[in-house]
Amino acid sequence: MFLFQILKQHALTLFLFTKSDIKTTLIPITILALCAAPVHHPSYIPETMFWIWLHLLQFDVSNQTLDPEEDALNKRDRPVPSGRITLRDAVILRWTLVPICWALSAAYSLQVFYSSVALSVLTGIYNELHAHAGHWLVRNMVNAAGFASFEFGSTLVARYDRSHLDKAGYLSVLFSAGIFFTTIQAQDFKDTEGDLAIGRQTLPIVFPSFSRKTVLPGMMGWSFLLTYMWQVDVWTGSVFIGLAQITGLRFLVFNSRASDQVSFYVYNVWLTMAHALPGYWRYYHKAM
């Protein structure tokens, strides 16, 4: 019973490291992987989610050991500022997770292993080498490359043949990386105040007015392209494009922190739908 309590406490600590990224990273990437693969057996679903979560944990632990003082002020429920784990132990966990992620990935295929290595390298560039606080263009590029590595590896894990993707799989990852590169500023508006305090140079900070004008055309452009490429029906396409328009207009019209948080939630609904479209094409058109 005592051992169970200890394991439960550790499991909760690990979960809290990733809690804030469940809806923004774990769910959208899982949906893309399952739709782009396609999945040949139900057992691949939890495997895929665990692979994504474990690598997300690696990233989040790395990120949350960089500036614990900031988290102590703004995000006190995180494991380090809340005292669930010491900073020293969190740093040890951060580097222990690297070989664990690599070993798990190598058990699937060499290609999944390469994705895991790429994620570890990009995590180090983004966090320890401070790309997150550098020029917004570099930050966007590293972000897009990181998500592409997440998606490439997780889509392989979700497949029966874990050594390569088909054309639809490659296109899914390519389109998603493009979306993140051109619209990632949607997640930065709500964090402008905190980013300013630690010297980050996000697009909303460098170009406050212009950056808000980039969301609508970016989302609309991708909506029309994906609707065409995945041969979406008129009703589904209208909902998808309409959601992009509503989200983009929200960022233009409302600019409070609370409004930007809501707009970001709506953006994630649109993003999740964008990630599901390869499944629409694969299961609808290929069945015809």
Side-chain angles (χ1 to χ4, degrees), residues 55-281:
H55 286 78
L56 180 61
L57 177 65
Q58 179 191 161
F59 176 86
D60 283 337
V61 175
S62 169
N63 184 265
Q64 292 173 36
T65 55
L66 296 180
D67 198 352
E69 292 81 8
E70 180 199 357
D71 284 351
L73 293 174
N74 302 319
K75 300 167 183 175
R76 297 179 182 177
D77 61 329
R78 286 183 169 181
V80 175
S82 67
R84 295 188 66 90
I85 186 172
T86 65
L87 179 60
R88 177 180 177 275
D89 287 344
V91 172
I92 293 173
L93 175 63
R94 183 262 182 274
W95 293 109
T96 302
L97 283 166
V98 174
I100 292 175
C101 288
W102 290 2
L104 174 67
S105 301
Y108 286 112
S109 72
L110 190 60
Q111 290 73 21
V112 179
F113 171 73
Y114 289 153
S115 296
S116 183
V117 172
L119 266 171
S120 297
V121 172
L122 290 164
T123 293
I125 293 172
Y126 190 83
N127 290 325
E128 280 80 10
L129 296 183
H130 305 292
H132 67 279
H135 193 279
W136 64 267
L137 184 60
V138 174
R139 184 174 183 270
N140 283 19
M141 289 175 63
V142 175
N143 256 314
F147 276 107
S149 299
F150 256 120
E151 292 161 354
F152 187 80
S154 58
T155 303
L156 284 170
V157 173
R159 284 179 60 84
Y160 177 75
D161 180 355
R162 286 158 168 165
S163 62
H164 79 282
L165 301 183
D166 61 5
K167 183 178 179 181
Y170 280 114
L171 283 175
S172 300
V173 174
L174 179 64
F175 290 152
S176 181
I179 289 173
F180 281 117
F181 179 68
T182 55
T183 68
I184 196 66
Q185 61 270 26
Q187 78 171 10
D188 294 328
F189 291 110
K190 61 182 174 55
D191 298 324
T192 300
E193 188 176 320
D195 289 342
L196 271 171
I198 60 175
R200 284 181 181 164
Q201 297 295 306
T202 63
L203 189 60
I205 290 175
V206 179
F207 301 109
S209 178
F210 171 75
S211 60
R212 289 190 176 273
K213 298 175 183 176
T214 64
V215 179
L216 179 60
M219 292 182 67
M220 291 295 288
W222 282 111
S223 295
F224 281 114
L225 176 62
L226 296 181
T227 297
Y228 171 76
M229 291 299 298
W230 299 122
Q231 302 174 37
V232 177
D233 67 85
V234 174
W235 188 88
T236 304
S238 298
V239 172
F240 183 51
I241 294 169
L243 190 59
Q245 187 175 29
I246 290 171
T247 308
L249 288 174
R250 277 194 58 90
F251 280 113
L252 276 175
V253 176
F254 306 109
N255 57 15
S256 69
R257 182 178 180 181
S259 295
D260 286 337
Q261 183 69 65
V262 173
S263 297
F264 181 55
Y265 288 147
V266 182
Y267 169 83
N268 277 289
V269 174
W270 173 85
L271 182 63
T272 300
M273 192 172 181
H275 283 169
L277 292 182
Y280 173 98
W281 174 84

